[in-house]
Amino acid sequence: MTSKQTLSDWRASALQLEQQINRVVVGQQVAVRNLLIAVFARGHVLLEGQVGVGKTTLLRAVAQGLGGQYQRIEGTIDLMPADLIYYTYLNNEGRPCVDPGPLLKQGEQLSVFFFNEINRARPQVHSLLLRVMAERSIGAFNREYRMPHIQVFADRNRVEKEETFELPAAARDRFFMEITIDTPGDDAVLDDLMFNPRYHDVDALIGEMAASQIPYYQLNDWAAGIQHSIQPTPALRKYALDLWKATADPLAFGIKLSDVEMDHLLQAGASPRGISYLIRAAKVRAWLENRDSLLPEDLQAVYAVTMSHRIFLNPIYSYRKDELIPTLIDSILNQIAAP
Ligand SMILES: Nc1ncnc2c1ncn2[C@@H]1O[C@H](COP(=O)(O)OP(=O)(O)OP(=O)(O)O)[C@@H](O)[C@H]1O
């Protein structure tokens, strides 16, 4: 078991990193907190948001704080799996050469891999990425390349859905969280973003942050230490179980949504992997809140970001997905009594 002092030292560094990121990327405190939870739970994240809302800046800030290397790739319809692994070119003497692609270029130092507009890439590319996410290694050039510290952030463009390859349910379940990044709502923040030239030069903005406040190569150990140190009470275990069961059978918990035939609403609820991700995220939140026991508020705080993309509606209701899923999540949290 990791000592209380170690956990407390780690927390101080984590909160300092959070503060620094919030100074660089403004008005995104909720997203930053969730992102940080994913970092310390070693989970991959699907970002959903509009364009130009600071996603790249945010991920570069995370990479800067962790001190590892950052790579970014754009999802396009003609991107092939091999493009992630290597690229070929003719050198000055006209000889063909092969260089490592974005997944291999940084070797074991790769800590943040940003896949922009994942829904524009083909399913073959998705499968490669999902394999890397699960195994943190890849076979190429007759050998195995390890990326033990990689954390994948994939972004789905919410505005343009035409000519895109939506991620299937099985693929979305591999993501630890789905985080929405919207334009900030506070007028003072918007004013700052409009008129302050500080936000025009992303390199200078990121340069304001101290590098490697948290050693990326220790994160796997930190994450394991946190998970083993935070304990649930028996009452909380029962509460978590109910929160899980309600994702598959809300009616059994007396949950009814208006204009919905509850018997026909759902195709599937959260998987065992999904629910274990909820608990992992909740434990990291408890640690960030300076506790060694898990409370209902920890589960509630991360329920929507870990569960929303794991509840699958029947096709007759899927066109109302954006309205029904958040309502269902809220109803579950309101209806199931916390211990
Ligand atoms: N909340 C924010 N805080 C700080 N800078 C921001 C914020 N939102 C946008 N910006 C600024 O807007 C510009 C675009 O940001 P960025 O490239 O990170 O957006 P993006 O969401 O990744 O865009 P795209 O979807 O087109 O890739 C940058 O100069 C960035 O500094």
Side-chain angles (χ1 to χ4, degrees):
M1 183 85 74
T2 314
S3 78
K4 268 190 185 304
Q5 186 54 46
T6 310
L7 283 170
S8 156
D9 291 347
W10 290 350
R11 178 171 43 254
S13 307
L15 294 177
Q16 210 179 354
L17 173 65
E18 182 176 37
Q19 229 178 35
Q20 290 222 13
I21 297 175
N22 278 324
R23 241 181 266 142
V24 166
V25 181
V26 288
Q28 299 290 1
Q29 286 86 344
V30 176
V32 169
R33 171 51 69 103
N34 286 329
L35 214 68
L36 218 66
I37 290 176
V39 165
F40 291 102
R42 308 310 295 134
H44 307 292
V45 176
L46 197 56
L47 297 170
E48 182 165 280
Q50 296 150 354
V51 290
V53 288
K55 296 182 299 290
T56 313
T57 314
L58 178 56
L59 297 182
R60 284 190 55 192
V62 171
Q64 172 85 353
L66 302 180
Q69 298 293 329
Y70 165 90
Q71 282 288 303
R72 169 180 166 147
I73 191 154
E74 301 293 327
T76 56
I77 192 157
D78 54 358
L79 185 76
M80 296 308 283
D83 297 332
L84 272 68
I85 301 172
Y86 65 87
Y87 69 94
T88 51
Y89 63 99
L90 293 179
N91 70 7
N92 291 343
E93 287 126 41
R95 293 227 174 90
C97 295
V98 179
D99 266 6
L103 271 177
L104 301 188
K105 206 180 206 157
Q106 314 291 352
E108 297 202 356
Q109 286 170 8
L110 182 60
S111 69
V112 173
F113 187 75
F114 182 22
F115 199 122
N116 203 22
E117 301 211 51
I118 189 170
N119 53 336
R120 288 195 183 273
R122 292 159 181 270
Q124 300 95 305
V125 178
H126 296 166
S127 351
L128 175 81
L129 187 75
L130 294 171
R131 220 176 57 220
V132 169
M133 281 164 50
E135 296 167 12
R136 290 194 159 95
S137 69
I138 194 170
F141 310 120
N142 297 325
R143 58 165 279 214
E144 195 73 5
Y145 289 83
R146 290 182 64 248
M147 292 156 262
H149 311 293
I150 191 177
Q151 187 172 13
V152 172
F153 295 87
D155 148 64
R156 233 158 26 122
N157 183 332
R158 197 197 296 153
V159 185
E160 291 157 300
K161 293 259 192 233
E162 281 103 54
E163 291 180 21
T164 62
F165 300 94
E166 279 302 325
L167 285 173
R172 291 176 73 187
D173 198 52
R174 300 268 181 93
F175 284 93
F176 183 73
M177 273 184 183
E178 198 163 305
I179 298 178
T180 306
I181 314 254
D182 282 324
T183 305
D186 183 346
D187 279 359
V189 172
L190 295 178
D191 181 83
D192 202 22
L193 282 174
M194 269 196 298
F195 292 106
N196 191 340
R198 176 175 176 251
Y199 302 108
H200 299 174
D201 182 346
V202 180
D203 288 335
L205 196 60
I206 301 291
E208 290 177 16
M209 290 179 64
S212 66
Q213 300 157 68
I214 288 173
Y216 69 94
Y217 47 86
Q218 287 179 7
L219 277 176
N220 291 337
D221 292 341
W222 284 34
I226 295 164
Q227 293 300 318
H228 284 106
S229 306
I230 309 288
Q231 297 303 327
T233 59
L236 188 119
R237 296 180 106 99
K238 167 78 174 77
Y239 178 57
L241 188 63
D242 287 347
L243 288 180
W244 182 11
K245 287 183 174 169
T247 63
D249 189 4
L251 200 53
F253 294 85
I255 294 161
K256 294 191 182 118
L257 307 188
S258 61
D259 298 330
V260 170
E261 269 190 69
M262 292 305 285
D263 282 342
H264 296 119
L265 177 65
L266 298 177
Q267 222 165 30
S271 65
R273 170 169 49 211
I275 210 71
S276 80
Y277 284 174
L278 166 74
I279 302 300
R280 271 163 66 175
K283 283 186 174 183
V284 176
R285 186 198 183 257
W287 165 70
L288 285 171
E289 295 289 322
N290 197 7
R291 272 186 275 102
D292 53 14
S293 61
L294 202 54
L295 297 186
E297 63 178 66
D298 299 318
L299 297 179
Q300 291 155 0
V302 294
Y303 194 70
V305 277
T306 51
M307 290 294 111
S308 299
H309 61 295
R310 306 180 196 281
I311 298 177
F312 299 99
L313 300 181
N314 266 318
I316 48 164
Y317 286 110
S318 53
Y319 75 100
R320 288 173 63 194
K321 176 168 90 44
D322 291 346
E323 162 217 343
L324 290 177
I325 298 277
T327 315
L328 179 61
I329 295 277
D330 284 350
S331 309
I332 293 174
L333 290 176
N334 288 332
Q335 186 73 17
I336 297 179

